[in-house]
Amino acid sequence: MNILVINCGSSSLKYQLINSDTEQWIAKGLCERIGIDGSQIVYQKAGGDKEVTVSPMPDHTEAIRLVLEALTNDKTGAIKSLSEIDAVGHRVVHGGEKFSSSTVITPEVIEAIKECNDLAPLHNPANLIGIDACAKLMPGVPMVAVFDTAFHQTMPAEAYMYGLPYSYYEKYKIRRYGFHGTSHSFVSKKMAEDMGKKPEDLKLIICHLGNGASVSAVKNGKCVDTSMGLTPLEGLIMGTRSGDIDPAIMEFIAHKENKSIDEVMTLLNKKSGVYGLSGDLSSDFRDLEDAYNEGNEKAIIAVKTFSYRVAKYVGAYTAAMNGVDGIAFTAGVGENCGLVRKLVCEYLGYLGVKLDEAANSKRGEDTVISTPDSKVCVMFIPTNEELAIARETLALTK
Ligand code: ADP
């Protein structure tokens, strides 16, 4: 089967066409600046070069029309006609408490996703537009929604409740949900497989460290805690997000800098994290690592504070699970930045973690970076959210 995976953001759209038999992508790319001047589509067929075409995209429907046109293009298309697309898998950011697993999209499911819009006002509406556009352009092709929050729905109440009046949970569903669930699920299964064990027999901590970053505790194959909350702002220090702070800081900054609550939120989401900590140097760890090695003080603080926060969550989640068998690093920083992995592992000696420095300097496929006598297995494992979405879509539509 050929499965089209769609990940719609507010002004962008990532896509991959995946052959579910080989689990390889046969074409992929992205549309950028949807609804903004200068929109363009990037398209790449397996084995081919990236093609960039500037083309107006007033909305997501036009973006998806261009994606389908590129996929079926006479010369460079990966398929001959749309009939070769058997199903579509959509990433949906927030499934609230309604969705604890992926689901085939029906009119009722669309209504239920809309009801979660309040919880993810930037993301869910974009995801719904993508679903609507595909339904229009590929009528009759089955579609599946795969939620970022679903994997975390197994968290117990003591992990997901905030210390706020209970009525806010009842009235507004204010609680912790967690995100990156598709990645945490994929990587935890992969780690169990790599360790030659069943997920049911393991306590794993997954550190998804990308631009957005989160940690999860996965006990016996089920998520029992994760660091993001009602929104992706909670938890780790990220590329530009603050992560956990004293909530009173918001009022303090608002007064001192004469900012509105919306302006403070923008500051915490877009100007903070390692970007803000490094004195606006960069949110990209490639730049930060270079500056760290050159002795740039703010870059050193940024990288160390980021790593320390990860190590604290690993400690907390070891306590939550009463032990840990494996720790996995994934996503852009987790897969590529040996410096961060080393700094995190330096705090974990009390767990019996021993890092193999030579293995830690490697890149590429799943790699064990702990020594054979380390009490806890530590690995980096490339995540593949698109493949995970394709697998879920296949399971529900074949
Ligand atoms: P997201 O999907 O959240 O945008 P990614 O998982 O793609 O994020 O991670 C992107 C980040 O990964 C970059 O901003 C950069 O900080 C980091 N990164 C990517 N490649 C490297 C590398 N070779 N060395 C260090 N960090 C890297």
Side-chain angles (χ1 to χ4, degrees):
M1 271 173 74
N2 289 331
I3 295 172
L4 179 62
V5 175
I6 299 280
N7 180 355
C8 254
S10 51
S11 67
S12 70
L13 183 160
K14 289 189 203 149
Y15 64 93
Q16 260 190 35
L17 186 64
I18 294 178
N19 178 321
S20 64
D21 300 327
T22 59
E23 295 206 323
Q24 300 295 316
W25 61 268
I26 47 186
K28 67 175 182 180
L30 84 156
C31 301
E32 291 170 296
R33 300 178 64 84
I34 301 169
I36 310 171
D37 280 349
S39 31
Q40 60 175 35
I41 173 168
V42 181
Y43 171 81
Q44 186 179 16
K45 185 177 159 181
D49 292 330
K50 268 188 193 163
E51 297 164 25
V52 182
T53 314
V54 176
S55 184
M57 290 175 218
D59 54 35
H60 288 73
T61 309
E62 181 59 12
I64 291 184
R65 199 187 65 71
L66 289 168
V67 169
L68 299 178
E69 199 173 277
L71 289 171
T72 53
N73 181 284
D74 282 348
K75 287 197 192 97
T76 53
I79 50 174
K80 290 201 179 66
S81 83
L82 290 184
S83 64
E84 289 176 54
I85 298 177
D86 299 293
V88 184
H90 290 272
R91 174 191 182 216
V92 179
V93 168
H94 219 307
E97 287 188 324
K98 288 182 199 298
F99 297 104
S100 55
S101 58
S102 306
T103 182
V104 173
I105 298 174
T106 62
E108 294 75 33
V109 166
I110 291 176
E111 282 312 305
I113 296 173
K114 273 187 199 155
E115 285 171 30
C116 302
N117 278 1
D118 264 2
L119 296 169
L122 294 179
H123 292 100
N124 271 27
N127 301 152
L128 283 164
I129 292 171
I131 291 171
D132 186 54
C134 285
K136 281 198 186 113
L137 296 165
M138 288 181 278
V141 176
M143 299 200 288
V144 168
V146 180
F147 300 93
D148 261 29
T149 49
F151 182 63
H152 305 303
Q153 277 295 303
T154 46
M155 283 195 285
E158 59 267 33
Y160 70 68
M161 289 303 289
Y162 286 114
L164 291 170
Y166 196 85
S167 56
Y168 290 162
Y169 169 59
E170 293 174 312
K171 272 199 279 189
Y172 308 121
K173 293 284 171 222
I174 296 180
R175 51 158 281 181
R176 309 185 58 257
Y177 290 95
F179 298 87
H180 296 139
T182 311
S183 175
H184 287 288
S185 166
F186 178 86
V187 174
S188 58
K189 288 192 185 87
K190 197 83 195 298
M191 182 159 210
E193 196 181 304
D194 291 340
M195 289 172 77
K197 300 234 165 103
K198 290 192 190 126
E200 299 79 52
D201 298 330
L202 288 170
K203 295 169 181 175
L204 301 177
I205 294 175
I206 312 301
C207 307
H208 176 111
L209 313 178
N211 258 324
S214 66
V215 186
S216 69
V218 184
K219 188 178 181 184
N220 307 333
K222 293 199 160 66
C223 176
V224 294
D225 207 343
T226 190
S227 58
M228 283 178 167
L230 175 76
T231 75
L233 188 54
E234 189 181 342
L236 299 179
I237 291 168
M238 312 186 203
T240 60
R241 294 189 196 123
S242 65
D244 301 334
I245 56 165
D246 178 345
I249 292 172
M250 299 183 68
E251 186 204 27
F252 194 92
I253 295 176
H255 283 164
K256 289 280 182 203
E257 298 263 316
N258 198 20
K259 285 189 192 297
S260 68
I261 189 75
D262 286 355
E263 286 168 333
V264 176
M265 288 306 293
T266 303
L267 179 93
L268 296 182
N269 273 302
K270 302 225 186 291
K271 303 278 178 204
S272 301
V274 288
Y275 172 78
L277 264 174
S278 66
D280 298 359
L281 178 70
S282 177
S283 61
D284 192 309
F285 274 76
R286 284 164 285 206
D287 304 331
L288 293 172
E289 194 172 347
D290 288 345
Y292 180 103
N293 290 329
E294 285 158 13
N296 179 313
E297 270 178 44
K298 287 181 186 155
I300 292 172
I301 281 286
V303 173
K304 282 190 170 175
T305 315
F306 175 90
S307 307
Y308 176 70
R309 179 77 56 89
V310 176
K312 280 214 295 189
Y313 268 97
V314 171
Y317 289 171
T318 303
M321 295 191 290
N322 192 15
V324 57
D325 302 305
I327 300 168
F329 290 92
T330 192
V333 182
E335 290 164 29
N336 296 300
C337 190
L339 171 64
V340 163
R341 293 193 301 252
K342 179 172 181 288
L343 292 173
V344 173
C345 288
E346 278 173 2
Y347 289 104
L348 306 179
Y350 73 101
L351 290 173
V353 166
K354 286 191 196 162
L355 189 70
D356 176 342
E357 302 252 357
N360 189 43
S361 64
K362 288 186 186 164
R363 286 271 169 83
E365 289 308 300
D366 304 15
T367 301
V368 175
I369 57 168
S370 49
T371 60
D373 63 336
S374 175
K375 284 203 183 116
V376 179
C377 174
V378 186
M379 298 184 69
F380 65 79
I381 299 179
T383 191
N384 192 338
E385 287 164 285
E386 289 77 16
L387 176 58
I389 292 173
R391 283 181 183 166
E392 294 278 303
T393 305
L394 174 71
L396 290 169
T397 57
K398 72 176 171 191

